[in-house]
């Protein structure tokens, strides 16, 4: 009898320059807060596995091909410390056991190895983009899309690097407009929160390429969801629920986002 498989995604996140500026203890507390937030965001998608470990590292594993990327993207946009930004090694694929059975501290799996490898590659990259997928180094999938994993990896990482290039060019106010719009999804609401007129918000939104950045985010989710649906027609995709839950939680703490 063929084993049942489950779609999952993983990120391993580190923090840039975490030992600089005597911020180590402060970042440790902040990472604990982020783990707590992730648990709240994924409450309706449980079970998930998330752990702050090794000083400045967070590891996340959850059901759904797009789940890890969605959480990583939101984290990157609301992150408090501009000089100590996170970077995320990502992978997705299929496992033949339920996450409830996994001890994340002891679990040895090729998908974990891939996410770790992606994180290590980012660590060595002088430009250090925010995200990198590794899909084809240590892992074979039981599903047909596996034959194109190398091509998907190249396309994903190219899109993510272009996305990062646009983010890097944003000014502080353009970044704030983009991040706030990601949460409240209306330019008028962004203006009210930031105390700016609609034309000013519109100008920052356009000059900061926010539409292009957010479009690439949504397209990544659509592609990952489509890949999952092709292999798991009977499993509900909850990416919209996850994004909505994150937005609602962040709205409750929106002043914290706007303060940095």
């Amino acid at each position: 009898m063929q084993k049942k498989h489950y779609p999952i995604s993983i990120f391993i996140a580190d923090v840039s320059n975490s030992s600089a500026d005597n911020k180590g203890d402060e970042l440790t507390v902040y990472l604990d807060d982020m783990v707590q937030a992730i648990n709240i965001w994924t409450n309706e998608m449980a079970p998930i596995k998330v752990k702050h470990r090794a000083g400045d590292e967070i590891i996340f594993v959850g059901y759904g091909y797009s789940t890890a990327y969605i959480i990583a993207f939101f984290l990157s946009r609301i992150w408090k410390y501009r000089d100590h930004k996170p970077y995320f090694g990502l992978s997705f694929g299929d496992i033949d056991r339920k996450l409830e059975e996994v001890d994340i501290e002891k679990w040895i799996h090729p998908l974990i190895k891939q996410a770790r490898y992606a994180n290590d590659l980012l660590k060595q990259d002088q430009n250090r983009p925010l995200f990198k997928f590794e899909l084809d180094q240590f892992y074979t999938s039981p599903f047909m899309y596996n034959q194109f994993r190398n091509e998907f990896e190249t396309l994903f990482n190219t899109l993510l690097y272009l996305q990062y290039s646009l983010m890097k060019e944003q000014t502080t106010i353009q970044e704030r407009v983009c991040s706030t719009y990601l949460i409240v999804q209306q330019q008028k609401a962004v203006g009210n929160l930031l105390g700016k007129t609609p034309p000013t918000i519109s100008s920052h939104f356009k000059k900061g390429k926010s539409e292009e950045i957010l479009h690439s985010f949504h397209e990544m989710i659509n592609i990952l969801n489509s890949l999952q649906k092709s292999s798991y027609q009977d499993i509900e995709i909850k990416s919209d629920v996850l994004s909505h839950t994150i937005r609602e939680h962040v709205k409750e703490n929106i002043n914290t986002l706007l303060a940095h």
Side-chain angles (χ1 to χ4, degrees):
M1 183 178 176
Q2 189 175 13
K3 283 188 175 182
K4 185 173 183 178
H5 289 86
Y6 305 89
I8 67 162
S9 54
I10 298 168
F11 72 66
I12 294 177
D14 271 318
V15 180
S16 297
N17 306 316
S18 58
S19 60
D21 304 327
N22 296 315
K23 291 283 188 181
D25 291 342
E26 191 174 336
L27 286 168
T28 295
V29 173
Y30 187 64
L31 288 167
D32 285 338
D33 291 342
M34 292 300 98
V35 167
Q36 183 178 358
I38 292 169
N39 278 309
I40 294 170
W41 297 348
T42 55
N43 185 53
E44 295 187 38
M45 302 183 68
I48 57 100
K49 302 286 182 175
V50 61
K51 185 81 173 179
H52 171 202
R53 64 183 190 183
D56 63 352
E57 178 182 291
I58 294 178
I59 181 170
F60 170 87
V61 185
Y63 287 125
Y65 287 170
S66 64
T67 303
Y69 173 66
I70 292 170
I71 293 171
F73 187 86
F74 273 97
L75 283 175
S76 74
R77 295 308 302 189
I78 68 171
W79 193 260
K80 179 178 177 180
Y81 297 94
R82 293 179 60 85
D83 295 328
H84 306 276
K85 291 191 174 183
Y87 53 96
F88 301 84
L90 293 136
S91 66
F92 71 87
D94 316 280
I95 57 175
D96 59 6
R97 60 193 295 196
K98 294 182 178 180
L99 282 180
E100 296 95 312
E101 303 170 4
V102 170
D103 181 346
I104 201 171
E105 291 289 353
K106 300 177 182 178
W107 193 36
I108 299 173
H109 192 276
L111 289 172
I112 294 284
K113 191 174 182 181
Q114 287 190 174
R116 172 75 60 196
Y117 182 60
N119 182 274
D120 287 342
L121 290 175
L122 286 173
K123 192 173 296 185
Q124 298 163 23
D125 190 332
Q126 288 187 339
N127 291 321
R128 192 170 290 169
L130 293 172
F131 313 110
K132 187 175 183 63
F133 274 96
E134 282 295 329
L135 304 179
D136 207 34
Q137 295 295 321
F138 316 106
Y139 171 75
T140 56
S141 166
F143 298 110
M144 283 298 294
Y145 74 85
N146 178 59
Q147 62 185 311
F148 304 114
R149 289 181 74 83
N150 184 262
E151 288 83 356
F152 279 124
E153 179 186 304
T154 300
L155 288 170
F156 286 165
N157 288 330
T158 300
L159 178 59
L160 290 173
Y161 190 83
L162 292 172
Q163 180 192 83
Y164 168 71
S165 298
L166 295 177
M167 289 179 178
K168 193 169 62 170
E169 293 301 314
Q170 288 184 319
T171 64
T172 300
I173 184 60
Q174 289 168 356
E175 182 179 334
R176 189 169 294 175
V177 166
C178 183
S179 298
T180 308
Y181 184 86
L182 173 66
I183 304 305
V184 300
Q185 298 189 290
Q186 290 183 341
Q187 289 194 30
K188 183 177 180 181
V190 174
N192 291 337
L193 286 166
L194 298 181
K196 305 288 185 182
T197 64
T200 299
I201 293 299
S202 179
S203 175
H204 288 312
F205 192 83
K206 290 177 181 177
K207 290 180 179 179
K209 305 296 183 184
S210 294
E211 184 174 357
E212 291 82 355
I213 290 168
L214 298 179
H215 178 70
S216 66
F217 168 58
H218 292 298
E219 285 302 294
M220 281 290 299
I221 296 170
N222 289 338
I223 294 167
L224 291 165
N225 287 346
S226 179
L227 287 174
Q228 179 179 324
K229 189 174 182 180
S230 69
S231 301
Y232 297 94
Q233 291 87 358
D234 59 333
I235 295 180
E236 182 184 2
I237 294 174
K238 296 184 177 181
S239 57
D240 288 343
V241 174
L242 176 60
S243 294
H244 176 75
T245 303
I246 294 173
R247 288 189 174 100
E248 290 304 303
H249 181 252
V250 175
K251 282 178 188 178
E252 294 175 4
N253 305 276
I254 195 73
N255 289 332
T256 302
L257 169 64
L258 301 179
H260 59 83

